[in-house]
Amino acid sequence: MSLTAQTYWAEYAWLDGQVVPDVVIVVATDGRIKAVRPGSPAQHPAGSVTLRGLTVPGLANAHSHAFHRALRGIVQAGASARPTGGAAPDSFWTWRTLMYEVADRLTPDSYFDLARAVYAEMAMAGITCVGEFHYLHHAPGGSRYANPNAMGEALIAAATEAGIRITLLDTCYLSSGFGAEPNQHQLRFSDGTADAWAERVSALKGDGNTRIGAAIHSVRAVPVDQLATVSGWAEGQAAPLHLHLSEQTAENDACVEAHGFTPTRLLADHGVLGPRTTAVHATHLTPGDIRLLGQSATGVCMCPTTERDLADGIGPAAQLHQAGSPLSLGSDSHAVIDILEEARAMELDERLHTRTRGHWTAAQLLRAATADGHAALGWGADTGRIEVGALADLTTIALDSVRTAGPPPRLGAETAIFAATSADVRHTVVGGRHVVRDGAHQLVPRVPEALTEAIAALHA
């Protein structure tokens, strides 16, 4: 992405699991790191850009539904106003009704406007790559746009303009439940068959900023006889494959009733699990499910802020980690966009659940937020580390804000994970390009106003 060579001087950088002071990072014209020189003097090279704070590999947001950002705050009004007696309790399923209403209003143009602002917000939160779990393919009612990939291409263009990378996880979504046709809202999600989905998604093209992946929305949304088409497409393209898994107990119950197996067992029996696959949420699993995921090295993307916002529950992240599943993190419905909070929440939620502390070190949580997230999105060989040859995707977190001041710099990782928030992200560099400088986005002006305008247009 960078057109000219650039040199950065990091006050502190996270190198090989250690906080190292005074690090010069030289970026070549191809956007990759050409040199890393630790211990460079504070009188850093002339013309270099100063990154004051702790510089870590760029943060990866492994699970996003960009249009859900339009629900922030709005869906809380109904939940907080609901009486304690009489009416049915608010849940994921009532939230989903409001989500459909927003989805019905989106067009390629309005989706571009919203996603551009959302991805700019992500850049300001230190996110350099997003995994967009994209199922909003067609016009309301299911009619096709002249360009069948107009909505997906709007997302790709939005990420490019916001200065971050994207893995577009084009999602197969064919039914509203086991054996049920799509409802009126879901018609725009469906291609009719997995073969039709594969034909459409094959027309999408990646580039230096974009990778194309696949997704199975869930076992309830893709009939069992069509799972292999989606997983086979991903395997043939050497592309990542993501899926929602056991987010709700109702989904588990329906799967057992329809097939006699849990969703995890069903996916395992149909060859969907494996190192290229990432299960999202994985909240309600049996011990056997955990073993299947771990033994197959299937990744799991935890989204703690969404899981608690929707009252979904606390997933068995520690058990999955111990079983062998790499863990990544996502902001999902964007109740907040803060990967540092997602990392912190994974540990703190586990503490609440078990009443013990110390399930992950700060270094392990930072890896989930960076290297393992990029790997889940198909960028693992290229980024997620500050090393020669890697893409120069960097995030700098302030160590002198009201939240982070006090601890010694050698505890920078602990400070970043357990004290910092997205508001403490000072710089974001993508491919050597300084996208966020001193907290200000360099490519999208007035990001709060852009968000306000794009969301207001959907609620007008």
Side-chain angles (χ1 to χ4, degrees):
M1 295 174 65
S2 179
L3 299 178
T4 59
Q6 180 65 67
T7 299
Y8 292 95
W9 177 82
E11 184 181 22
Y12 299 97
W14 181 249
L15 304 180
D16 296 323
Q18 301 292 325
V19 175
V20 179
D22 304 326
V23 178
V24 168
I25 302 168
V26 181
V27 182
T29 55
D30 62 357
R32 293 182 181 271
I33 297 174
K34 182 178 180 180
V36 178
R37 297 198 288 268
S40 298
Q43 294 78 20
H44 39 87
S48 63
V49 176
T50 296
L51 303 177
R52 188 77 62 183
L54 174 65
T55 296
V56 302
L59 304 180
N61 187 353
H63 189 66
S64 163
H65 300 291
F67 76 93
H68 289 188
R69 176 61 177 83
L71 299 169
R72 185 185 295 177
I74 294 168
V75 292
Q76 305 299 344
S80 60
R82 187 176 294 280
T84 56
D90 201 8
S91 69
F92 167 85
W93 306 103
T94 55
W95 169 90
R96 191 174 71 160
T97 299
L98 297 173
M99 180 270 287
Y100 284 153
E101 293 176 3
V102 171
D104 284 344
R105 300 187 184 108
L106 284 161
T107 66
D109 288 342
S110 63
Y111 207 4
F112 168 81
D113 291 340
L114 176 61
R116 176 175 176 266
V118 173
Y119 295 154
E121 180 183 359
M122 289 186 191
M124 293 173 70
I127 293 163
T128 58
C129 185
V130 60
E132 184 61 39
F133 199 100
H134 168 56
Y135 54 80
L136 196 56
H137 303 305
H138 308 297
S143 61
R144 276 36 176 179
Y145 292 109
N147 173 2
N149 285 307
M151 295 292 273
E153 290 178 4
L155 292 166
I156 291 170
T160 299
E161 290 210 10
I164 69 172
R165 303 184 194 280
I166 185 171
T167 297
L168 187 73
L169 298 161
D170 196 288
T171 304
C172 188
Y173 194 133
L174 305 174
S175 64
S176 63
F178 298 96
E181 293 297 316
N183 66 33
Q184 62 176 351
H185 303 289
Q186 296 163 345
L187 288 172
R188 72 181 308 189
F189 307 164
S190 176
D191 290 294
T193 67
D195 285 335
W197 167 85
E199 181 179 0
R200 180 183 54 75
V201 74
S202 294
L204 286 164
K205 303 300 180 185
D207 54 34
N209 195 67
T210 305
R211 298 206 171 159
I212 307 300
I216 294 166
H217 180 272
S218 57
V219 293
R220 72 177 187 272
V222 178
V224 67
D225 61 350
Q226 301 194 57
L227 291 172
T229 299
V230 185
S231 61
W233 184 92
E235 183 176 0
Q237 300 292 321
L241 173 65
H242 287 220
L243 53 97
H244 291 133
L245 179 65
S246 293
E247 183 178 3
Q248 301 294 323
T249 56
E251 177 182 289
N252 288 354
D253 294 343
C255 186
V256 171
E257 182 177 353
H259 297 290
F261 301 107
T262 66
T264 302
R265 167 56 71 182
L266 190 71
L267 294 166
D269 289 349
H270 286 81
V272 176
L273 303 184
R276 190 175 284 118
T277 300
T278 296
V280 181
H281 301 302
T283 306
H284 304 284
L285 302 178
T286 67
D289 293 339
I290 294 170
R291 286 194 297 272
L292 286 169
L293 292 167
Q295 290 170 0
S296 62
T298 299
V300 176
C301 179
M302 306 301 294
C303 307
T305 64
T306 291
E307 288 148 10
R308 67 194 186 194
D309 181 60
L310 296 180
D312 286 343
I314 299 171
Q319 296 175 59
L320 286 161
H321 174 71
Q322 292 163 7
S325 288
L327 301 180
S328 55
L329 300 162
S331 62
D332 191 7
S333 68
H334 312 314
V336 297
I337 293 177
D338 189 338
I339 296 300
L340 298 174
E341 171 61 19
E342 303 293 346
R344 174 164 55 245
M346 189 163 70
E347 165 68 23
L348 299 188
D349 287 357
E350 190 69 22
R351 292 181 185 183
L352 283 175
H353 179 65
T354 63
R355 291 184 287 178
T356 59
R357 304 175 79 226
H359 302 276
W360 293 273
T361 65
Q364 288 173 319
L365 293 171
L366 191 54
R367 180 178 177 84
T370 56
D372 288 344
H374 290 291
L377 297 177
W379 296 85
D382 288 316
T383 190
R385 64 196 192 283
I386 303 176
E387 296 177 2
V388 172
L391 290 166
D393 294 356
L394 311 169
T395 299
T396 303
I397 301 160
L399 297 179
D400 57 359
S401 76
V402 293
R403 289 164 293 278
T404 61
R410 63 182 174 81
L411 297 179
E414 287 77 6
T415 302
I417 291 297
F418 290 105
T421 73
S422 60
D424 296 307
V425 171
R426 188 169 279 160
H427 302 282
T428 305
V429 175
V430 183
R433 187 184 196 184
H434 209 160
V435 175
V436 175
R437 184 190 295 261
D438 293 318
H441 204 290
Q442 302 299 291
L443 307 176
V444 179
R446 303 178 298 106
V447 175
E449 290 90 336
L451 284 163
T452 297
E453 292 168 5
I455 292 169
L458 297 177
H459 295 289

